[in-house]
Amino acid sequence: MDVAVLEIGGSHVTAAVVAPGTWDVTEVDRAKLESQQAAEVVVEQLAETARKLPLANGLAVALPGPFDFATGVAWYRGQGKFDQLYGFNLGAALSSELGIDRLLFMNDAEAFAVGEWTAGEVRGVERCVGVTIGTGIGTAFLADGRVVREGSSVPPGGELYKTTYAGKPLEDSISARAILRRYAESTGAEAPGVKEIADQARTGDTAACEVLTACFTDLAAALKPWLERFGVTKTVLGGSISGAFDLVESALDFPASATHDTEQSALIGAAAHYLRSS
């Protein structure tokens, strides 16, 4: 059974069909999403994209938190996205708008990790972790391909961003904003953007190299104790900053690799989760 999937970000929504077994992804549409608009506007934009999919068997959706993935209620506040959806039942609204009975939500970082375990860099690895780094940091700890959120061997809820590092929230040390802040502090110049910093590092810019290395050294220091507790043998990095992996790999003192495509992995992971839940 092919699975219809939406992958929702702060500025886009991607609709795709995933074929189980081969895990081939057919992208149907990638549309702009105005995530700060009223709830009704966001729902209509999501529904418009979803209608391009075959929905007879329902829909799997990967999206960021804070979100109650079981009930479909959004709890975004001060995230710079979806603020008008706070307390809104997105699941009920989408189901009604699309006329479907089965709608399954999944955290996008967890979807990414499951996708990489299913058909990517950590395929079949018994104990692994997926880390996505963008505006924030997302993590998912997997045991035999299943997400582990509880117990002393994983951070609270399996989410590393809920921990502190050097007495501050971890995302103050490793995230897009952390990289930009460190660059500005180091050079006295306004940071052009993470991609531009990476591009500068590749040309030999010392400050850019040192900033990226410092941020990922902090990530390694914060993450490694959890890798040891959980018994992780390989880590996969995704998100917008994974494209700089070649520049920071030396800062990671544990087996790691970068995804070929974060979005595709999230689509595959959401589909795999949907099929397991059938």
Side-chain angles (χ1 to χ4, degrees), residues 63-76 85 88 90-91 105-106:
L63 77 170
F67 190 89
D68 189 324
F69 297 94
T71 65
V73 176
W75 295 107
Y76 304 100
L85 271 64
F88 181 77
L90 181 61
F105 292 101
M106 187 178 194

Side-chain angles (χ1 to χ4, degrees), residues 123-233:
R123 185 169 188 168
V125 174
E126 184 177 351
R127 295 237 160 188
C128 59
V129 64
V131 181
T132 57
I133 305 169
T135 54
I137 182 168
T139 52
F141 290 74
L142 304 187
D144 294 320
R146 296 189 179 274
V147 179
V148 177
R149 305 182 189 91
E150 299 177 348
S152 60
S153 64
V154 297
E159 298 177 299
L160 191 67
Y161 86 89
K162 292 181 178 178
T163 65
T164 59
Y165 178 73
K168 296 182 293 186
L170 178 62
E171 290 180 346
D172 286 355
S173 297
I174 176 67
S175 62
R177 69 174 182 272
I179 291 171
L180 297 178
R181 189 197 71 249
R182 287 195 189 201
Y183 182 87
E185 291 172 351
S186 173
T187 64
E190 184 177 348
V194 174
K195 182 182 183 301
E196 289 75 14
I197 291 173
D199 290 342
Q200 289 172 206
R202 290 192 180 93
T203 66
D205 184 304
T206 302
C209 288
E210 289 178 349
V211 164
L212 289 172
T213 299
C215 285
F216 278 82
T217 298
D218 286 350
L219 171 65
L223 182 60
K224 194 170 182 181
W226 295 107
L227 301 183
E228 293 173 349
R229 289 183 201 180
F230 195 68
V232 171
T233 55

Side-chain angles (χ1 to χ4, degrees), residues 236-261:
V236 58
L237 289 169
S240 58
I241 300 175
S242 61
F245 183 74
D246 59 307
L247 299 167
V248 301
E249 184 177 5
S250 61
L252 306 177
D253 55 347
F254 48 80
S257 59
T259 181
H260 293 288
D261 190 324

